[in-house]
Amino acid sequence: MHATLLIALYAFAGAAATGLLGAAVLRLIRRRSLTASLAVVAAVAVLAMLAGTLAVAWAMFLSPHDLSVVTTVVAMAAVVSLATALLLGRWVVARSRELAAAARSFGDEGDYAAPTTPATAELDALSRELAATSARLARSRERERALETSRRELVAWISHDLRTPLAGLRAMSEALEDGVAADPDRYLRQIRAEVERLNDMVGDLFELSCIHAGTLVLSPARISLYDLVGDALAGADPLARRQGVRLVGDAVAAVPVEVDGKEMSRVLGNLLVNAIRRTPADGTVAVAAERFADGVVVSVTDGCGGIPEEDLPRVFDTGWRGTHARTPPAGAGLGLAIVRGIVEAHRGRATVRNIPGGCRFEVTLPLAEA
């Protein structure tokens, strides 16, 4: 028993010295190729065995013949181990280079072509993570392009919509200043109307900037949906009469909701104005409100003739105005963007879909707590 302990101690001392030396070498080459590190690990394993054997032999526990046999065996093991480590290192390095080349294929479009050659579980996991990152990057770039397109459209429409009233205001003010206005009172009424229109446009821009900046302040209160829709219908009735459009709001349930009354009135007002302007004379705009298990759905149905399917995803984008089946309205394409922003601030969602003869805008709001 005493001899066995001594053999173990001598063997451990020799192997430990080799292990420390190997650790120092690994630290020196830590920035080198994985192949070199694997070769060092294999060499340390074999040399540790050889060092332990030599230490035991030095302590006279092995005969010269036994030492020769063990040394030969260890030498053969060293050759095989080093060859295996080199092959493994080269294989892992090759797979790593393929993965790096695939990662560089992200490019400007965010495409990622995963390597098809089998690799280790860790490299496969890394490849899957790169693929997921590539998909997220592609979606982010797509959103960035959409936002940039919306921004350009918004600037173009705002510039166009400001130029006309400003030119009219300048002409009318010059006519009044020169005393050549045939009907000064009519000019003054027109100037006031144009100023109100510009004021509404500036208000929409300010509201939208608050929504995008996340600074929209809400003051939720428990309100009956029936009263909220009734007020919105009353406010839109004069415009509907001028356009010759019938407003229908019979299918509105008296469901309580917890919303900011002012902001939600703006949502319903924007939807109604949009629907009335899109619906031809003698058409009908219907408002309905129903309670479901997941919330309250308020819908506004018009007779616009429908929206092209390719345009449906962009209806709520900032600055977008239809150019196909729907005639561009007065304004800068901000109303529906404001609708979506306010509804999402209430933890709801706004959607649109085509129906026979027109389209239906739906606003889903969470139920008020009991």
Side-chain angles (χ1 to χ4, degrees):
M1 184 68 179
H2 179 71
T4 302
L5 288 176
L6 285 177
I7 292 173
L9 288 174
Y10 279 110
F12 176 78
T18 305
L20 291 174
L21 179 60
V25 174
L26 286 175
R27 181 176 177 79
L28 290 175
I29 65 170
R30 61 183 181 277
R31 299 183 183 276
R32 302 291 295 275
S33 171
L34 180 63
T35 303
S37 297
L38 287 175
V40 171
V41 171
V44 166
V46 175
L47 291 176
M49 182 185 301
L50 181 60
T53 303
L54 292 176
V56 172
W58 176 77
M60 305 300 292
F61 287 102
L62 285 179
S63 65
H65 177 268
D66 293 340
L67 178 61
S68 176
V69 171
V70 171
T71 305
T72 302
V73 171
V74 170
M76 295 302 101
V79 172
V80 175
S81 298
L82 288 174
T84 304
L86 291 174
L87 288 175
L88 177 61
R90 290 175 63 85
W91 182 80
V92 172
V93 169
R95 301 293 83 77
S96 299
R97 288 174 178 171
E98 291 178 2
L99 194 59
R104 285 193 295 271
S105 69
F106 274 22
D108 294 331
E109 299 301 323
D111 296 328
Y112 172 73
T116 57
T117 309
T120 64
E122 291 78 9
L123 291 179
D124 278 338
L126 179 58
S127 180
R128 290 192 297 270
E129 185 61 31
L130 287 174
T133 302
S134 175
R136 290 194 295 269
L137 180 62
R139 290 193 296 267
S140 176
R141 284 172 172 163
E142 187 62 30
R143 287 194 299 269
E144 183 181 352
R145 293 191 189 99
L147 289 174
E148 179 64 18
T149 301
S150 297
R151 186 191 66 80
R152 291 178 179 177
E153 290 178 349
L154 175 62
V155 171
W157 285 116
I158 287 291
S159 301
H160 176 271
D161 290 344
L162 287 177
R163 186 180 297 113
T164 301
L166 288 175
L169 288 172
R170 174 182 293 176
M172 287 184 287
S173 62
E174 289 176 352
L176 290 171
E177 185 178 11
D178 296 339
V180 297
D183 187 355
D185 290 338
R186 184 175 68 84
Y187 274 46
L188 291 173
R189 289 193 298 270
Q190 184 65 25
I191 287 175
R192 181 177 179 84
E194 293 294 342
V195 170
E196 290 294 336
R197 179 186 170 192
L198 292 175
N199 182 69
D200 291 341
M201 190 180 300
V202 172
D204 286 345
L205 286 171
F206 180 74
E207 181 89 358
L208 195 62
S209 67
C210 291
I211 291 172
H212 287 171
T215 58
L216 181 64
V217 180
L218 300 178
S219 301
R222 194 179 183 86
I223 304 173
S224 171
L225 196 59
Y226 184 85
D227 295 337
L228 198 63
V229 173
D231 292 342
L233 288 172
D237 186 65
L239 176 62
R241 290 179 182 274
R242 289 197 301 271
Q243 299 289 110
V245 174
R246 294 187 300 275
L247 288 180
V248 178
D250 300 332
V252 179
V255 181
V257 290
E258 193 165 344
V259 296
D260 186 308
K262 178 183 176 183
E263 296 296 341
M264 198 52 59
S265 295
R266 184 165 194 167
V267 166
L268 295 176
N270 284 1
L271 291 177
L272 285 171
V273 169
N274 180 73
I276 292 169
R277 286 175 173 167
R278 304 295 191 180
T279 301
D282 296 329
T284 300
V285 172
V287 182
E290 297 179 81
R291 177 174 181 167
F292 294 93
D294 60 342
V296 179
V297 177
V298 182
S299 63
V300 177
T301 305
D302 61 32
C304 67
I307 304 173
E309 292 295 328
E310 65 272 15
D311 288 341
L312 280 176
R314 296 199 58 205
V315 168
F316 292 99
D317 287 354
T318 302
W320 182 85
R321 298 199 285 192
T323 56
H324 298 290
R326 297 157 69 89
T327 304
L334 305 180
L336 293 179
I338 291 174
V339 166
R340 181 176 63 178
I342 294 176
V343 170
E344 290 180 351
H346 282 85
R347 294 178 292 109
R349 64 180 183 276
T351 58
V352 61
R353 58 188 174 91
N354 285 324
I355 60 171
C359 62
R360 177 175 295 164
F361 288 84
E362 294 183 346
V363 171
T364 304
L365 298 171
L367 290 170
E369 296 181 2

